């Protein structure tokens, strides 16, 4: 096999020899000229050429005396750092021993958020293999596409998700390397019991791929984004350090799946990095999350805007006084939701935009730095600007394409769409943003969701924010619907709060209400009523479904 050519997109890429004997990931990285520029501008982002992120996380935590502290809490069990480490090490032995995997092999992972799922993900990385986590709600066909694209070698799957996994069309060799955990007779646990309790981390290069995360994109076939051991450390050393200011006394809780990088970072990697506690719970609802915050005395919460919006009116039924910081990401935080959360809890929401391609949050603000309506400023370590349609930077007050660069960036697994995401070294997230004179970034819409009606540009989220302030509106999604006369018209899809009924009168009322708050030409000329909005497992509104209804 030939040496990879994609080892350096910039002079700062580490050049340590790969530990991977299976070179699939390296050979499927995009060509170097298609990579974004990578920047390591902070002292804490200088990583050594050899780095295994799980070894690094645990060495740091244990050196800080975390051994007897609780690392993860699930519904039925808690593990200290020392106990979690032992689970990880036994699983790593299973992978490299009985399962016969080699470094660089891909392991598909499936499970709800719980301590065992966390141990499995970390074990795959520690063993020098590549984790391919999958969302619990994915069906056999989608799983088959991911398994095929990542050419997976083995599967670790929660027993509760077994039926769907067994329906996936997999090569016999992979089927033979499928282990189940968390059930009455877990084949993984049985093998773990026979393994030594300690495993020496595989001495990976900082730029060995350790994670292939598939996008939770709302359109198109999923894209696999490839991330290095170094990238995992970089996200821990950016947002949680400078914006969140997390500490070992923190207790992290929230909803995003560990298979979504928002959840992997916020609910597992970030707490481990500082020796804090991660609470991992399955199937949370707004009520049960509030209850869990009370029960576990959580201090940091990660979830999507809609969850906060639903939790706000219920918050006074629970003692959530332990909460210090709440992070909203995944989609735009309407100002109306920020305000109702503040009224209900006294907390200033930390909004942050992240992307699977960049692993985690790159623009955000906390505390005094928050400017309502803005997402925030680039997280230290990242740079951002707004580009016009020709790729030239534009100044304050002009809407354009958000462009970002920093220590992490887009590298799709064998995907032509790499060319769409990276332009002149910048990552283009697909979002329409605007900057102000102080360098704050304001989300407007997805670039392809901008509504153009009778020559006006209208951002759906602005109309949504206006509607959400009406007492009858629980949730809403605004799209452009093709219209002969105007090109597009603004169409709102509204879910009413209990006790309100759809009627022509209400429609007229909502339209007047919007006109009273924002420029009247933005009002929704059509309003449809739904009982629920179509959303992804990661909490994103599926606007294309509203358009095709
Ligand atoms: C949108 C936001 C406005 C935006 C993610 C935090 O969402 C994450 O990753 P995805 O790949 O989607 C990326 C896209 O989602 N978005 C996310 N956050 C915000 N829009 N305000 C926000 N605060 O369109 C972006 O391009 O699913 C979020 C951490 C890790 C993640 N992967």
């Amino acid at each position: 096999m030939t040496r990879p050519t994609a080892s350096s997109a910039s002079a700062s890429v580490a050049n340590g020899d790969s530990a991977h004997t299976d070179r699939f990931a390296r050979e499927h990285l995009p060509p170097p000229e298609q990579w974004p520029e990578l920047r390591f501008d902070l002292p804490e982002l200088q990583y050594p050429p050899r780095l295994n992120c799980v070894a690094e996380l645990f060495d740091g935590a244990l050196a800080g005396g975390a051994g007897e502290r609780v690392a993860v809490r699930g519904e039925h069990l808690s593990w200290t750092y020392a106990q979690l480490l032992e689970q990880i090490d036994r699983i790593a032995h299973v992978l490299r021993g009985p399962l016969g995997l080699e470094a660089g092999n891909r392991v598909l992972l499936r499970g709800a958020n719980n301590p065992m799922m966390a141990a499995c993900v970390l074990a795959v990385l520690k063993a020098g293999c590549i984790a391919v986590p999958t969302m619990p709600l994915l069906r056999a066909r989608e799983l088959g596409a991911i398994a095929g694209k990542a050419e997976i070698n083995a599967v670790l799957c929660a027993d509760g998700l077994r039926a769907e996994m067994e329906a996936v069309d997999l090569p016999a060799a992979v089927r033979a390397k499928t282990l189940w955990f968390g059930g009455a007779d877990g084949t993984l646990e049985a093998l773990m019991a026979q393994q030594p309790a300690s495993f020496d981390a595989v001495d990976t290069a900082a730029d060995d791929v350790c994670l292939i995360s598939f996008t939770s994109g709302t359109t198109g076939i999923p894209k696999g984004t490839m991330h290095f051991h170094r990238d995992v450390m970089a996200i821990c050393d950016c947002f949680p350090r400078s914006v969140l200011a997390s500490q070992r006394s923190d207790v992290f809780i929230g909803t995003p799946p560990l298979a979504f990088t928002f959840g992997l970072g916020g609910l597992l990697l970030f707490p481990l990095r500082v020796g804090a506690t991660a609470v991992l719970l399955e199937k949370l609802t707004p009520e049960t999350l509030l209850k869990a915050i009370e029960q576990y005395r959580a201090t940091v919460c990660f979830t999507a805007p809609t969850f906060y919006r639903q939790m706000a009116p219920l918050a006074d039924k629970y003692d959530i006084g332990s909460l210090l910081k709440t992070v909203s990401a995944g989609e735009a935080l309407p100002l109306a939701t920020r305000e109702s959360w503040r009224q209900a809890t006294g907390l200033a929401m930390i909004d942050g935009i992240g992307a699977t391609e960049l692993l985690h949050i790159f623009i955000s603000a906390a505390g005094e730095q928050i400017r309502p309506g803005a997402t925030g400023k680039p997280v230290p370590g990242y740079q951002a600007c707004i580009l016009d349609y020709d790729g030239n930077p534009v100044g304050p007050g002009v809407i354009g394409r958000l462009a970002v660069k920093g220590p992490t960036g887009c590298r799709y697994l064998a995907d032509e769409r790499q060319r769409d995401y990276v332009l002149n070294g910048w990552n283009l997230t697909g979002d329409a943003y605007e900057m102000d004179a102080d360098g704050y970034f304001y989300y407007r819409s997805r670039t392809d969701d901008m509504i153009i009606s009778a020559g006006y540009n209208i951002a759906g989220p602005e109309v949504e924010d206006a509607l959400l302030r009406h007492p009858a509106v629980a949730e809403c999604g605004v799209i452009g619907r093709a219209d002969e006369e105007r090109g597009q018209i603004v169409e709102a899809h509204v879910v009413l709060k209990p006790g309100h009924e759809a009627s022509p009168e209400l429609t007229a009322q909502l339209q007047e209400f919007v006109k009273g708050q924002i420029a009247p030409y933005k009002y929704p000329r059509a309003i449809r009523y739904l009982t629920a909005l179509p959303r992804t497992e990661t909490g994103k509104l599926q606007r294309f479904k509203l358009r095709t209804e």
Side-chain angles (χ1 to χ4, degrees):
M1 256 178 241
T2 51
R3 277 288 296 160
T5 51
S7 61
S8 98
S10 79
S12 44
V13 172
N15 269 320
D17 279 335
S18 173
H20 289 178
T21 47
D22 173 348
R23 306 191 66 82
F24 170 88
R26 265 185 198 244
E27 284 165 4
H28 289 86
L29 284 167
E33 65 277 9
Q34 289 181 21
W35 288 30
E37 185 191 344
L38 298 172
R39 305 200 54 102
F40 303 87
D41 294 337
L42 303 173
E44 56 268 32
L45 299 176
Q46 311 304 313
Y47 300 105
R50 305 216 69 78
L51 180 70
N52 182 302
C53 62
V54 174
E56 183 71 18
L57 287 171
F58 276 85
D59 288 352
L62 296 176
E68 299 312 310
R69 295 169 57 80
V70 177
V72 281
R73 271 186 204 288
E75 200 181 337
H76 304 297
L77 61 85
S78 291
W79 285 330
T80 62
Y81 274 79
Q83 289 169 324
L84 172 61
L85 184 60
E86 180 179 335
Q87 303 296 320
I88 293 169
D89 284 5
R90 287 180 188 274
I91 300 169
H93 273 297
V94 170
L95 297 172
R96 298 303 299 268
L99 225 47
L101 297 182
E102 56 175 297
N105 279 176
R106 277 80 52 216
V107 182
L108 187 139
L109 292 152
R110 270 183 87 51
N113 285 5
N114 58 50
M116 190 59 180
M117 174 66 180
C120 287
V121 178
L122 297 168
V124 170
L125 275 48
K126 188 164 184 184
C129 297
I130 299 173
V132 185
T134 60
M135 302 291 182
L137 290 181
L138 291 186
R139 307 306 302 256
R141 194 163 47 80
E142 301 159 298
L143 290 169
I146 289 172
K149 185 101 199 226
E151 294 188 23
I152 60 157
N153 306 92
V155 177
L156 299 182
C157 180
D159 196 60
L161 299 170
R162 186 169 185 148
E164 203 61 31
M165 193 68 229
E166 282 180 334
V168 183
D169 188 17
L170 288 177
V174 178
R175 206 149 296 286
K177 294 186 181 190
T178 296
L179 296 176
W180 312 100
F181 62 85
D185 45 12
T187 47
L188 174 58
E189 285 91 340
L191 287 170
M192 282 166 71
Q194 302 163 11
Q195 305 302 314
S198 162
F199 178 92
D200 288 334
V202 171
D203 185 26
T204 40
D207 62 352
D208 272 333
V209 172
C210 65
L211 173 71
I212 302 179
S213 186
F214 279 82
T215 55
S216 63
T218 50
T219 49
I221 50 167
K223 292 165 276 196
T225 65
M226 300 204 274
H227 304 285
F228 300 155
H229 282 269
R230 183 188 64 211
D231 302 339
V232 168
M233 299 317 297
I235 60 163
C236 293
D237 293 336
C238 285
F239 169 77
R241 189 179 174 120
S242 48
V243 180
L244 193 59
S246 46
Q247 301 178 356
R248 58 186 285 182
S249 53
D250 278 322
V251 177
F252 289 67
I253 203 166
T255 62
L258 290 176
F260 180 28
T261 65
F262 181 32
L264 183 67
L267 299 180
L268 183 60
L269 304 172
F270 298 173
L272 294 182
R273 182 59 166 160
V274 292
T277 299
V279 180
L280 292 171
L281 300 171
E282 312 180 8
K283 299 198 185 83
L284 288 165
T285 64
E287 287 88 354
T288 58
L289 177 53
L290 283 164
K291 199 163 160 226
I293 292 169
E294 172 177 310
Q295 183 184 343
Y296 294 93
R297 308 304 298 153
T299 62
V300 180
C301 178
F302 282 80
T303 186
T306 51
F307 239 79
Y308 288 114
R309 184 166 171 82
Q310 291 169 271
M311 287 198 294
L314 308 169
D316 64 359
K317 298 204 189 85
Y318 301 87
D319 172 10
I320 57 166
S322 59
L323 263 189
L324 301 173
K325 316 237 166 101
T326 54
V327 180
S328 168
E331 65 179 357
L333 173 70
L335 192 50
T337 304
R338 173 187 284 289
E339 287 165 3
S340 64
W341 185 246
R342 171 128 218 180
Q343 268 163 19
T345 64
L347 294 168
M349 188 79 79
I350 303 177
D351 187 8
I353 177 171
T356 309
E357 287 81 354
L358 286 123
L359 256 189
H360 222 273
I361 291 173
F362 46 82
I363 295 178
S364 183
E368 299 294 298
Q369 302 296 314
I370 292 170
R371 193 166 284 194
T375 313
K377 289 186 172 184
V379 169
Y382 288 89
Q383 303 175 3
C385 68
I386 311 291
L387 300 178
D388 68 14
Y389 284 83
D390 300 321
N392 302 312
V394 298
V398 184
I399 299 180
R401 299 188 286 174
L402 178 65
V404 198
K405 61 172 81 155
T408 59
C410 179
R411 287 176 297 253
Y412 289 133
L413 164 62
D415 202 305
E416 278 304 310
R417 288 170 287 185
Q418 178 75 21
R419 293 172 190 280
D420 304 332
Y421 206 91
V422 177
L423 180 71
N424 301 333
W426 292 97
N427 296 276
L428 295 181
T429 63
D431 297 294
Y433 258 80
E434 185 179 329
M435 223 172 67
D436 70 14
D438 300 326
Y440 277 88
F441 285 77
Y442 295 74
Y443 175 83
R444 294 302 178 223
S445 79
R446 292 286 300 168
T447 41
D448 43 14
D449 283 339
M450 194 57 90
I451 304 166
I452 305 175
S453 184
Y456 287 109
N457 275 343
I458 301 167
E462 187 185 1
V463 185
E464 288 162 14
D465 183 58
L467 280 167
L468 286 173
R469 292 166 189 277
H470 191 280
V473 177
E475 278 203 285
C476 65
V478 168
I479 54 146
R481 160 111 26 218
D483 178 77
E484 254 178 49
E485 198 185 324
R486 299 175 174 269
Q488 283 186 317
I489 58 161
V490 177
E491 180 178 280
H493 296 246
V494 171
V495 179
L496 293 173
K497 285 192 183 154
H500 297 271
E501 296 262 328
S503 70
E505 292 72 36
L506 181 60
T507 296
Q509 245 185 53
L510 291 175
Q511 290 172 325
E512 285 311 306
F513 184 76
V514 172
K515 286 185 193 170
Q517 294 182 74
I518 54 178
Y521 69 84
K522 297 175 181 170
Y523 87 95
R525 284 174 189 267
I527 297 186
R528 296 184 177 195
Y529 296 94
L530 303 179
T531 48
L533 294 179
R535 287 193 181 277
T536 64
E537 196 176 350
T538 59
K540 281 195 216 312
L541 179 61
Q542 294 168 303
R543 288 173 200 276
F544 70 98
K545 287 202 176 156
L546 297 179
R547 272 189 216 108
T548 53
E549 258 185 12

